[in-house]
Amino acid sequence: MSSPSAARTAAIEEFVARLVQLREDAGRPSFRTMAVRSGAISHATMHDAVRGARMPSWETTVEFAKACGADPRTLRADWKRMDSVVRAAQVRSGPQSVVVPEPQVGDPAPAAPADIEPAPADPAPDTTASGTAAPEAPSEPAGRRSVWTLVGVALLAAALTLVASLGVSALTRGDGPAPAAAYIAPTAVPTATLAGGCPGNGRTTGAHMPRVAGDKGAFVSDVTVPDCSTQPRGRSIVKTWRLKNAGSVAWTGRFLQRINSGEGSRSCRAPDRVAIPDTVPGATVDVSVTVATPHQSATCFARWMQTDSHGNFTFPDQRPYYYSFFVR
């Protein structure tokens, strides 16, 4: 029978492997890039989630998945199962077990040098402004220290709330395109079953809020591979969409980026992103992606959204483009 410690370690490693695969499927973005895409947790917390030292919180898991363009709901069942194993192991291991609290959503990103892989080591959970561990006053009673610790946490939470309320305007000042963490992550669009029985986009509000004022894109038509069509096994299928630059901003260095990498059959292989030819306002453009179909029956479904050359989603509120077909 495995020990509580071994069960805890195995559960954490199994779930962390899911997160690592998500990041690989997303093209292995740096943890700093993922933190910017999230806009809610720091790059250190992103890195901590895949170190395997502890079970990531659900809040961290949600932001990690969103930063990889994946739907967090696909991880919920596994997270609950592994988290229950970890909690049960901690109970069985008794009071000697020490659980280090995980940085939560809203923690400030530390001012660190440029992101270099691998990411910097996990910062100590309790530090002073200089980054060194806060010393304990040996002459002060433990109970009094606990009270002051709670007071400090409350003051820190109030300060972080104030910073968060002012942070967006501060981020958008300066020369050139704003980092715009508020615009980086695409709005979640639910799936729905189309008339032919294959998956597609669900209903949305239809809002259209571009990252750059005056920018606008419109879907014109599916040029190839109709929705819910049947395609042969073991072939290279080219899906082409016709899009229109319906705004006043020229499209230069744009891409279609695959999102929600866990959707559809993994046996249907396609690149993570494809380039969009430069397109002037008012013009249409054909964008194609090649899908390698498997040698067995499958449902190929993938959704795509436009990004700029830095990976920012240009129309985060727009319905994704997608292909959806059967392989028989």
Side-chain angles (χ1 to χ4, degrees):
M1 184 175 181
S2 62
S3 67
S5 177
R8 175 183 181 274
T9 299
I12 292 174
E13 287 180 350
E14 182 175 342
F15 188 74
V16 164
R18 287 287 310 274
L19 298 185
V20 170
Q21 187 59 53
L22 277 186
R23 184 168 174 249
E24 291 295 328
D25 291 344
R28 209 170 186 272
S30 71
F31 293 111
R32 283 190 184 277
T33 297
M34 292 172 65
V36 172
R37 289 178 180 176
S38 163
I41 61 177
S42 71
H43 70 276
T45 305
M46 290 288 187
H47 178 236
D48 182 80
V50 293
R51 288 181 62 234
R54 50 181 167 254
M55 185 69 184
S57 70
W58 175 242
E59 292 80 5
T60 294
T61 300
V62 168
E63 295 303 322
F64 193 100
K66 286 165 58 180
C68 293
D71 187 346
R73 291 174 296 181
T74 63
L75 299 170
R76 181 63 177 174
D78 281 349
W79 182 88
K80 290 179 68 175
R81 180 165 55 89
M82 298 307 170
D83 186 62
S84 65
V85 172
V86 171
R87 290 179 184 276
Q90 289 167 357
V91 171
R92 293 199 304 271
S93 63
Q96 72 276 11
S97 177
V98 178
V99 180
V100 181
E102 179 185 1
Q104 296 297 307
V105 172
D107 62 342
D115 198 17
I116 300 175
E117 299 294 348
D122 180 42
D126 183 18
T127 59
T128 64
S130 64
T132 58
E136 250 186 50
S139 60
E140 189 175 13
R144 185 176 300 174
R145 288 201 304 274
S146 298
V147 171
W148 283 113
T149 299
L150 290 173
V151 172
V153 169
L155 291 174
L156 178 59
L160 290 177
T161 300
L162 178 61
V163 169
S165 66
L166 300 175
V168 173
S169 60
L171 280 172
T172 54
R173 291 194 295 268
D175 297 330
Y183 299 102
I184 190 72
T187 299
V189 176
T191 58
T193 302
L194 304 180
C198 62
N201 285 330
R203 292 183 177 275
T204 64
T205 61
H208 189 100
M209 184 180 293
R211 184 172 186 270
V212 177
D215 201 1
K216 187 175 183 180
F219 171 76
V220 178
S221 64
D222 290 306
V223 179
T224 63
V225 190
D227 295 340
C228 300
S229 61
T230 299
Q231 303 297 327
R233 303 179 182 185
R235 301 287 182 85
S236 291
I237 305 299
V238 179
K239 171 67 181 184
T240 301
W241 300 276
R242 182 160 295 154
L243 315 179
K244 181 177 182 179
N245 182 340
S248 57
V249 178
W251 292 353
T252 304
R254 302 280 178 103
F255 295 87
L256 282 189
Q257 174 72 47
R258 183 173 180 176
I259 63 171
N260 300 344
S261 58
E263 294 180 330
S265 173
R266 289 184 177 272
S267 59
C268 305
R269 293 177 288 112
D272 288 331
R273 71 174 188 172
V274 293
I276 299 175
D278 293 350
T279 312
V280 298
T284 60
V285 61
D286 286 356
V287 186
S288 299
V289 60
T290 300
V291 187
T293 62
H295 292 278
Q296 67 274 3
S297 296
T299 299
C300 296
F301 175 56
R303 293 194 278 188
W304 307 71
M305 291 183 70
Q306 189 184 119
T307 71
D308 61 19
S309 58
H310 301 292
N312 300 308
F313 288 96
T314 51
F315 310 120
D317 297 311
Q318 193 176 37
R319 287 162 62 90
Y321 310 112
Y322 63 88
Y323 58 70
S324 186
F325 59 88
F326 302 112
V327 176
R328 297 288 186 264

